[in-house]
Every structure is written in structure tokens, then in C-alpha cells.
Amino acid sequence: MTTKKTKAVCAPLIEAEHLRRALRERNLLRDDVEIAKEGTYICFPVKDASEDLCLYKVVTKSFKLKAAKPHCYKDRLKLPKKLMEELPTSYDVVGAIILIKLPKTLFHYRKEIGKALLETHKNIRTVCLIDPVSGELRTRNVAIIAGENQTLTTHTEYGLLFDVDVRTTYFSPRLTSERKRVADLVKPGETVVDMFAGVAPFSIMIARYAKPRIVYAIDKNKEAVILAQQNAKQNHVLETVEVIHADANDVEKVVPKKADRIIMNLPFSAYRFFSLALSIAAKTCIVHYYDILKEEDIDARIDALKKIAEEQYFNLKDISIRKIKSYAPREFYIGIDITATKHADVA
Ligand SMILES: C[S@@+](CC[C@H](N)C(=O)[O-])C[C@H]1O[C@@H](n2cnc3c(N)ncnc32)[C@H](O)[C@@H]1O
């Protein structure tokens, strides 16, 4: 362990926070070494033990050096000034893989950028240049620009482990809090249907953090289904999560029970499945519906869903809309919670 000898001001535990603030305000606190506990005292390494702090115990001792913070990857790059300004400030991290989008102007420098990202993130083993998700299975073109030739990784969220292949399956780390929010709404004994489950992050979060009777996790992508099954196993929810390799168009055939809750995370296309979703809905059913829409198109989409529901003898109420993340300028990834209730006079 590397240490550094320095002066320090020490206060009993109860006064430590007060002293820390005083030192911080006077810019006296050293930030290259760790604060240390000594018996019932906390010792703050200081640049200078100024006089008005002499009420406290002043000592000289060795402190553990702080681990050097990784620099921003941009600090490791030397590109023309205009291109430096175009470097992305955000990117996704899925397990040990960074997924980054680059403008065409930076394509020529992709390898240097990948190397800089790898050097500044100690837990990352691979950096991938990505295109937006596309096609029915919502997968993306992925080019490895640095690190290991590997697109399979294990992502951790809320203590759960999700195996994801970023090339062959969909996964977004930006939906973490949305998954937990939905799991927290699930009541004991519910039958849940995750119509477009992917590697099953919603299903598994629900199975682990709520007490559903069963969660049916459906997906059409064979690769996703294999990983979903693996994920259910490694998170010990095989008894609650039933992974089904099927087209959601066949949901009536593959789901044997009426659903109390349905998750429809298939932006751009979920509305085409809304009628089918209602065909497996219990008399009262909560639908978590996801879409990508411009602000001005949201009302029209809600009206369209209401019309579909009416044809299936359902009313939609308690509709709440949340913008989860931005997708493109003025376009949002939107989550809509809907309570669907069957008309009283229909069996
Ligand atoms: C946006 S991803 C969502 C995955 C998952 N719910 C999540 O949050 O990570 C949509 C998923 O729907 C699946 N999918 C697309 N069309 C489908 C269909 N007709 N039937 C079943 N699954 C489908 C895709 O394979 C993909 O895994």
C-alpha cells in the first residue's frame, strides 16, 4: 500500500463532520490521500494546520494514497480541435462492453478512441462502435474497435446478472430504473406477460423483487430466448419465469392464463399488438406500453389505443405517460401505464 506522511487535524467522531466542512471551506483538506479513523478520532490530512484549527488535535502521520482517478477518455486523445469537440460525452456500458456511437467525421479515429476508452475504464474489456437498433428483433450492427473480440457479457443491475450478447440481442442499461419501477408495482400473485422479453430483464426483475404467481417471458429471437433462460437460471427464478420462444402474434396460443399485467416493450410496433394483448388480459389489467414518439404524436397514439381497446370491449383509464429517455431531437422513448378494464356487460 502506498502512503504519504502529512500533517492532519483530528476530531472526535461527533465533531468530525463539522471539522470536515470547516477544512473544506478553507480549502485546507488534501484530496490526494484518504481520511483515516484512529480509535474514536477521525483524522483529516491537511495542506496546512492553520492556527484557528489548533483547538483540535494536530498530528503528523502516514495516510493511504488515493487511487488515481481515471481521466476522461478525451484527455488521452490528440485530435484536431474541431474533432475533439465532436467526441461523444456519453455512451452505454453493458457489462464489460462500452457501446459508443460516433459521427462520420470521427470514424477515421475509431481505433484511437476505442483504445482511450479502454485505458480509462478499468472494468471494460471491449469497446464497440454501434449503429442504432433496427429491424424486427431490435438488434444492431456492432464493430469491435478495441479490446477483446467478444460481444457476450454479463451486466449487473440491482444485484441481478444478465447475460447479453450486444450483437445478437437487445439490451438497454438505460431502462434499469424503469424495470425496477415496474417490479415495485407488481402485487403478490399476479400473472404477468412480458410480450417482448429479450434476455428477460423485466421478467427477472419482477420475479426477484415482487411475488408474482408467474411471469411469461416471450420473444421471437432465438438467441435472446437462450440467454433469457440462462438468466432465469442464474438469478434463481426458473420456477417463476417461464421463457417462451414464440411470436407475440401467437400469444393467445402460448399463454395459458389471463394476464393481470402485460409489458409491451417494442417501440414503433407495440400498438400493432395491443389488440392481441387485450385478448389475454384479465378483466382488469395493467399494461406497461413503450413507444418512441414525437411530443405532438402522443395524444394521437393514445386515441388509437383507446379505439383498439373499445373494439375489444375494454375501457382505458389511469393513463400516465413518462418520457424515459430522449431518442432523437424532439423524439422520446415513452412509457405509458394503462389500466384496461373490460366492459361490465361482457363475459
Ligand atoms: C426493444 S426489445 C425489448 C427487450 C426487453 N423487453 C428489454 O427491455 O430489454 C424488443 C424485443 O422484442 C422482440 N420481438 C420483436 N418482434 C417480436 C414478435 N413479433 N414476437 C415476439 N418478440 C418479438 C425482439 O426480439 C426484442 O428482443
Side-chain angles (χ1 to χ4, degrees):
M1 187 201 316
T2 327
T3 58
K4 186 164 203 155
K5 209 167 197 177
T6 177
K7 271 205 169 133
V9 185
C10 308
L13 217 52
I14 196 160
E15 292 169 37
E17 181 53 23
H18 178 75
L19 175 60
R20 192 191 63 79
R21 280 173 196 260
L23 292 170
R24 185 62 79 214
E25 273 161 23
R26 290 170 174 77
N27 192 27
L28 288 173
L29 204 55
R30 286 185 77 126
D31 47 21
D32 56 337
V33 286
E34 305 271 7
I35 291 165
K37 191 164 180 243
E38 212 175 68
T40 56
Y41 277 74
I42 303 290
C43 296
F44 296 95
V46 288
K47 296 171 189 163
D48 173 32
S50 69
E51 279 182 23
D52 60 339
L53 292 167
C54 286
L55 281 176
Y56 294 100
K57 191 166 100 174
V58 178
V59 297
T60 301
K61 63 182 242 96
S62 292
F63 287 83
K64 191 177 158 195
L65 274 171
K66 278 188 185 167
K69 277 203 185 127
H71 294 287
C72 171
Y73 80 99
K74 294 181 189 182
D75 296 343
R76 305 226 165 190
L77 290 165
K78 281 202 170 55
L79 310 183
K81 189 166 178 290
K82 181 148 185 332
L83 291 181
M84 287 300 287
E85 285 162 11
E86 290 181 27
L87 284 167
T89 46
S90 72
Y91 37 83
D92 282 347
V93 176
V94 177
I97 299 179
I98 283 181
L99 303 175
I100 191 164
K101 288 181 189 151
L102 292 177
K104 279 204 180 83
T105 42
L106 287 172
F107 194 71
H108 179 73
Y109 299 95
R110 63 195 183 283
K111 295 219 160 128
E112 287 97 313
I113 294 168
K115 186 167 173 278
L117 282 162
L118 209 55
E119 284 169 357
T120 45
H121 293 74
K122 67 175 171 26
N123 296 323
I124 294 299
R125 293 202 309 272
T126 303
V127 181
C128 295
L129 178 62
I130 54 163
D131 286 342
V133 292
S134 63
E136 190 186 20
L137 304 184
R138 312 310 291 151
T139 52
R140 57 190 359 144
N141 286 326
V142 160
I144 295 171
I145 53 172
E148 295 171 15
N149 184 16
Q150 176 66 273
T151 52
L152 181 66
T153 187
T154 304
H155 186 80
T156 308
E157 70 181 32
Y158 284 97
L160 305 173
L161 301 175
F162 299 132
D163 286 356
V164 178
D165 188 323
V166 296
R167 196 193 295 279
T168 57
T169 60
Y170 174 95
F171 183 82
S172 173
R174 299 189 200 192
L175 294 177
T176 300
S177 39
E178 177 63 12
R179 294 191 259 273
K180 181 65 167 51
R181 188 192 72 83
V182 169
D184 289 345
L185 294 171
V186 174
K187 300 196 185 67
E190 280 190 8
T191 295
V192 181
V193 177
D194 188 357
M195 274 177 88
F196 312 99
V199 301
F202 271 99
S203 300
I204 292 168
M205 183 79 84
I206 289 169
R208 280 304 300 273
Y209 283 95
K211 289 192 168 51
R213 180 147 66 118
I214 188 151
V215 185
Y216 296 104
I218 303 167
D219 206 283
K220 196 175 178 180
N221 179 354
K222 181 96 188 288
E223 308 290 331
V225 166
I226 292 168
L227 292 175
Q229 187 68 24
Q230 214 163 288
N231 290 335
K233 188 170 178 206
Q234 68 183 341
N235 290 289
H236 314 290
V237 292
L238 272 179
E239 295 214 333
T240 324
V241 176
E242 189 177 319
V243 179
I244 302 171
H245 181 212
D247 188 318
N249 282 301
D250 295 327
V251 70
E252 281 176 293
K253 287 186 213 145
V254 297
V255 170
K257 293 192 177 77
K258 291 287 182 192
D260 303 302
R261 192 175 296 268
I262 302 173
I263 300 158
M264 303 186 72
N265 183 14
L266 186 61
F268 297 121
S269 303
Y271 70 94
R272 291 198 280 108
F273 292 85
F274 194 60
S275 176
L276 274 167
L278 293 177
S279 72
I280 55 148
K283 288 199 169 191
T284 299
C285 176
I286 315 278
V287 181
H288 301 285
Y289 174 97
Y290 298 90
D291 217 330
I292 289 171
L293 290 168
K294 289 205 166 80
E295 178 103 51
E296 61 268 30
D297 296 334
I298 297 174
D299 286 348
R301 180 51 48 87
I302 301 278
D303 287 346
L305 294 177
K306 281 184 176 162
K307 194 156 175 273
I308 294 169
E310 202 53 43
E311 286 161 9
Q312 292 271 357
Y313 308 107
F314 273 89
N315 288 324
L316 303 187
K317 58 172 191 170
D318 300 336
I319 298 172
S320 87
I321 304 161
R322 279 156 304 101
K323 289 179 188 151
I324 296 171
K325 53 182 181 168
S326 63
Y327 178 74
R330 296 178 51 252
E331 229 175 343
F332 299 95
Y333 201 109
I334 282 170
I336 309 178
D337 290 354
I338 301 166
T339 303
T341 46
K342 194 135 199 175
H343 292 180
D345 51 341
V346 179

